[in-house]
Amino acid sequence: MRVDKYLWCVRYYKTRNMVTEACKKNHITVNGQIAKPSKEVFPTDRITFRKDQITQIITVLDIPESRVGAKLVDIYRKNETPPEAYAHLELLKLSKEHYRKSGTGRPTKKDRRDIDDYGDEIYDDEEQES
């Protein structure tokens, strides 16, 4: 089976076109070699690809006939991605939400005043030092 079809069948990508684009950008390797979308994969092949800021490592266990349900994916692949990669992703998500939670919109009037006051304090401190 082609690598683009395999990654689509085991639900790592939503469309085959997305897999093809990842191959063109050299994000996908099979057994350590950069793969074109038409590269054939066989059981025991090791596929490495970068998706969502995580380098995923999977081993092909079997070849599916067509796209499989989410519950059946583990029959066809073995996920060998280290847990540290997922921990790093969680850390990135938390760092983005440090000041404001996502989806809270633009700064409120109070937030804007706090930002302006902070800028005025820095400006006043610089004038006093001069």
Side-chain angles (χ1 to χ4, degrees):
M1 178 179 277
R2 295 167 51 115
V3 70
D4 62 342
K5 190 170 182 180
Y6 178 80
L7 288 174
W8 171 75
C9 284
V10 293
R11 298 185 165 268
Y12 276 103
Y13 289 89
K14 199 169 187 175
T15 64
R16 281 183 62 186
N17 191 34
M18 293 171 79
V19 184
T20 303
E21 290 298 317
C23 286
K24 287 179 182 176
K25 294 177 182 176
N26 297 335
H27 290 194
I28 298 174
T29 61
V30 177
N31 296 327
Q33 295 181 342
I34 295 172
K36 291 183 177 180
S38 60
K39 170 84 170 142
E40 291 288 323
V41 293
F42 302 98
T44 71
D45 280 352
R46 187 179 176 114
I47 302 173
T48 306
F49 58 98
R50 185 149 176 88
K51 185 169 186 261
D52 298 332
Q53 297 183 346
I54 295 179
T55 302
Q56 301 271 352
I57 303 167
I58 62 170
T59 301
V60 178
L61 297 178
D62 198 8
I63 305 296
E65 293 292 319
S66 63
R67 190 166 169 100
V68 295
K71 292 180 180 178
L72 303 176
V73 168
D74 289 334
I75 297 171
Y76 300 103
R77 60 104 169 124
K78 180 180 176 189
N79 190 356
E80 297 178 355
T81 306
E84 295 86 37
Y86 294 111
H88 179 70
L89 183 65
E90 289 298 318
L91 188 65
L92 281 173
K93 285 182 183 177
L94 291 175
S95 68
K96 288 180 182 177
E97 294 180 353
H98 174 68
Y99 174 65
R100 298 178 63 83
K101 298 285 183 195
S102 62
T104 56
R106 56 189 228 187
T108 63
K109 197 170 190 177
K110 182 181 183 319
D111 291 337
R112 175 57 94 194
R113 287 182 184 146
D114 290 342
I115 293 168
D116 290 341
D117 289 344
Y118 180 73
D120 291 341
E121 288 174 12
I122 292 174
Y123 183 71
D124 291 341
D125 290 343
E126 287 177 359
E127 285 182 353
Q128 290 175 0
E129 291 176 4
S130 306

